[in-house]
Amino acid sequence: MRTALRPRAGSGGGSATAPHTPEGPISTPNIAQSRPVRRPGDRLFRGAAVGSGVFIVALISAIGLFLLLQAIPSLRANQVGFLTSGVWNTTSATDLQFGILYLLWVTVATSVLALALAMPISLGIALFLTHYAPRRLARPFAYVVDLLAAVPSIIFGLWGIKVLAPTLVPVAEWLNHNLGFIPLFAEGNVTIAGGGTVFTAGVVLAVMILPIITAVSREVFERTPREHIEGALALGATKWEMLRTTVLPFGKAGYVSAAMLGLGRALGETVALYLILSATTAVPELSFFDGGATIASKIALGAAEFNNPLTAGAYIAAGLVLFLLTFVVNALARAVVAGKKEYA
Amino acid sequence: MNIKRHGAALGLVAASALLLSACGSDNNAQRGDTAAANSANVDCGGKKELSAEGSSAQTNAIQEFVAEYAHICDGFNVAYNPTGSGAGVKQFIGGQVDFGGSDSPLKESEVEKAMQRCSGNPAWNLPMVFGPVAVAYNLPGMEGLVLKPDTIAKIFNGGIKKWNDPAIRELNSGANLPDKNIVVIYRSDESGTTDNFQKYLQAAAKDSWTQGVGKSFKGDTGEGKAKSQGVTDGVKATEGAITYVEKSFADAANLGIAKIDSGAGPVELTDEAAGKAIAAAKIKGSGHDLVLDLNALYASKEPGAYPLVLVTYELVCSKGYDAETSKAVKAFLTTAATSGQDNLTKVGYVPLPQEFRTKLLDAIKAIA
């Protein structure tokens, strides 16, 4: 910047024939002078930042490309419709039969159930932490919630099937008994008493995504402008009215994108569901009390016996679908956030 | 730190055991006893560190063999990587490992490739590890359930749905069978246990089991759980459930184990009964290639024999190893076929009957 402030010596003189005066260095052409100074640090940092950006995009494209290339031979050899069938029989490479339909249903069902359970609770926790809890309590409490996110998913899986599932059985039986006429709560192909149902899986997933949604929503709610809150209170709003008229509208987009982040995690969760869900060979009922496998848990189940590239390719094709699904979910979240003026 | 301390303690125990046995007084280090009796047969030497890979069903047995081997041949070791039978065959053929472990013998297409790996000599399948498979159930108050192969097949393909089905009542006269649904629990991951179980059903109950075989369950009924622990827990948690699982898991969870009546009366799953079935098994391979005729083994009606066993093989070259490797492979396999067998019951396998060990030892001696 200093150079730009100096008087432009060369321009007044007009004599291009006085080159080697002590002032020579100053009389550089205009363009050079108006350009901001670049120090090595700038260049280095810019390079690092651009590099990171390019790297992550390249990495994602490489993953997508890899999945696609590995999946194509298997998709070609597939004897049934990949998107329209639900059978999964990949042991013989000469008669590959695999379809994503049932896996997709269980994946979506567990994740959506988890989201439906976790969203209201997270909202409650986030509002409590930001507006109700005493300051001294809010911090440690937030840490405790964040700690949930640090529990490995295999622990959640074991806890889910050994501890939670038996305790959930009465609840599940009650729902099935009283609401069984709704297809979502009807009896499925697996026993409710065994606990390996979409229902149990959804509840465990809900606990797993709770800290993610809570943490992000809390950050957003905390940023509600003070003036809005004080304005609402000055107008005579009660605490709940204040929350409803200022905090919630302000934080809505952030909350939704937090939920999408949680949904992304739920869709890709592997080990916990691998342990909890009971597989079935029958056509799944569109019920929370049926079993099955999600895309990710199915891959985990088959991983030990990827003996030929075609079999592996079938699972990779499933992985590709999961990849695209997560991509779409994230894109939706972006769209929701981008639609809000506050974040534009 | 702990490991070091234990290591030191172990070393001390081992050293004192050696000292004691040298003095001729009796010692209570278990492995010491068996080793003393057999170490004369094992010709230690060659490559210090062998590598092997394959079937996860025999992992615990191999660990037992390796411990015994390291005990007899001080400073020698085998690194076994339990990545699955398919990987084991692939790595053995590719020459990446010294021997492979597999739940099934080499297929025809693999035999040729294995020959190339062994510099033009045939590879042998040596059945060294047998795991008894239990038909385990959870039915309070019901002990000593008896099933026929045919009934088992019908239960596992959904033909029999209730515990008080006439077919089950007929075999268990006098037992109080409840009017309860049978919940079939199967392995949802691909596994050699499932493969062997379905092969058994196909051989022993071919009229009832028409679903075929393979590493994934074909019964089209029930619910799947991941791994042996998963199916065991599933049965434990569900009244009226039944599954097939390695005996050690069923024992650990205190599940009921069905007696199987292959035509000569109900047989309980014991080491002796399983050993009897193995001893009577016919060998299909030629010479020292000890491929078992599983169909004959599974369909066996031998009185007092329990034929539902998981057979796993070691894949070795008959010739074509370099001298160092050959010596070590022979030493390890000899250990495995002799004193290595003694502790197998503890880790859930059937110790091989004596005459079968002799066959194996003949084959191992013939490796050059």
Side-chain angles (χ1 to χ4, degrees), chain B residues 196-212:
Chain B
N196 275 265
F197 181 65
Q198 296 188 132
K199 277 180 185 155
Y200 167 75
L201 293 179
Q202 197 176 46
K206 54 178 173 297
D207 298 331
S208 302
W209 189 262
T210 51
Q211 276 77 5

Side-chain angles (χ1 to χ4, degrees), chain A residues 89-91 161-162 189-191 193-194 196 274-281 301-302 304-307 315, chain B residues 83-87 90 183 186 188-190 215-218 220-227 233 237-238:
Chain A
N89 195 351
T90 54
T91 20
I161 192 66
K162 295 207 176 222
N189 298 304
V190 309
T191 54
Y274 168 87
L275 290 169
I276 292 169
L277 281 173
S278 283
T280 62
T281 43
L301 285 171
E305 296 287 341
F306 285 169
N307 292 331
Y315 287 91
Chain B
T83 47
S85 300
K90 207 189 293 176
V183 181
Y186 63 88
S188 57
D189 54 327
E190 309 237 319
K215 290 189 172 240
S216 53
F217 183 69
K218 300 270 170 68
D220 260 346
T221 186
E223 46 191 280
K225 288 284 182 189
K227 303 278 172 194
D233 289 346
T238 318

Side-chain angles (χ1 to χ4, degrees), chain B residues 4-91:
Chain B
K4 261 190 196 161
R5 219 178 294 147
H6 286 163
L10 253 174
L12 209 73
V13 169
S16 54
L18 269 176
L19 213 72
L20 284 170
S21 59
C23 291
S25 60
D26 56 358
N27 66 77
N28 47 11
Q30 217 178 4
R31 214 180 282 290
D33 282 340
T34 57
N38 286 290
S39 52
N41 306 331
V42 182
D43 182 16
C44 299
K47 206 157 126 186
K48 289 265 177 194
E49 183 89 14
L50 286 176
S51 63
E53 179 162 349
S55 161
S56 55
Q58 49 174 286
T59 316
N60 292 342
I62 296 276
Q63 276 170 0
E64 191 58 42
F65 295 160
V66 171
E68 187 69 26
Y69 179 50
H71 179 78
I72 294 178
C73 301
D74 193 30
F76 288 85
N77 189 24
V78 177
Y80 185 78
N81 197 2
T83 47
S85 300
V89 172
K90 207 189 293 176
Q91 301 289 2

Side-chain angles (χ1 to χ4, degrees), chain A residues 167-334:
Chain A
T167 26
L168 275 181
V169 167
V171 182
E173 275 169 349
W174 185 87
L175 283 172
N176 175 244
H177 191 254
N178 292 292
L179 298 171
F181 58 90
I182 305 171
L184 269 186
F185 297 101
E187 218 158 299
N189 298 304
V190 309
T191 54
I192 292 175
T197 55
V198 170
F199 179 70
T200 313
V203 174
V204 172
L205 276 184
V207 179
M208 295 177 76
I209 64 177
L210 202 68
I212 298 173
I213 307 184
T214 306
V216 177
S217 328
R218 198 188 68 221
E219 295 294 325
V220 175
F221 292 151
E222 248 170 14
R223 269 152 193 70
T224 316
R226 244 326 352 122
E227 310 86 66
H228 292 197
I229 296 175
E230 279 164 10
L233 292 174
L235 286 170
T238 62
K239 190 136 196 177
W240 157 237
E241 283 163 345
M242 179 273 285
L243 287 176
R244 208 185 49 191
T245 52
T246 62
V247 177
L248 288 182
F250 178 82
K252 200 161 103 192
Y255 172 59
V256 170
S257 79
M260 291 298 137
L261 208 61
L263 182 60
R265 161 114 204 244
L267 287 171
E269 179 47 49
T270 312
V271 177
L273 298 183
Y274 168 87
L275 290 169
I276 292 169
L277 281 173
S278 283
T280 62
T281 43
V283 180
E285 309 285 332
L286 294 183
S287 160
F288 286 144
F289 298 126
D290 204 342
T294 68
I295 297 176
S297 74
K298 185 78 184 174
I299 295 174
L301 285 171
E305 296 287 341
F306 285 169
N307 292 331
N308 63 71
L310 280 180
T311 303
Y315 287 91
I316 287 173
L320 184 65
V321 172
L322 182 62
F323 184 73
L324 292 177
L325 189 67
T326 321
F327 201 75
V328 168
V329 164
N330 278 319
L332 275 180
R334 294 265 155 216

Side-chain angles (χ1 to χ4, degrees), chain B residues 30 32 40 56-57 63 67 76 121 144 174 179 182-183 191 229 252 254 257 272 282-283 324 339 351:
Chain B
Q30 217 178 4
S56 55
Q63 276 170 0
F76 288 85
N121 303 294
D179 178 25
I182 300 180
V183 181
S191 100
Q229 192 59 53
N254 260 327
I257 296 178
E272 294 72 45
K282 294 204 171 51
I283 287 167
E324 290 279 290
S339 53

Side-chain angles (χ1 to χ4, degrees), chain A residues 122-140:
Chain A
S122 303
L123 183 66
I125 300 175
L127 287 178
F128 168 74
L129 289 178
T130 49
H131 290 94
Y132 285 94
R135 273 260 160 263
R136 264 187 305 142
L137 202 74
R139 242 307 97 250

Side-chain angles (χ1 to χ4, degrees), chain A residues 68-85:
Chain A
L68 198 65
L69 287 180
Q70 297 283 310
I72 284 174
S74 303
L75 287 171
R76 283 233 178 103
N78 195 0
Q79 307 287 322
V80 296
F82 178 58
L83 296 172
T84 52
S85 164

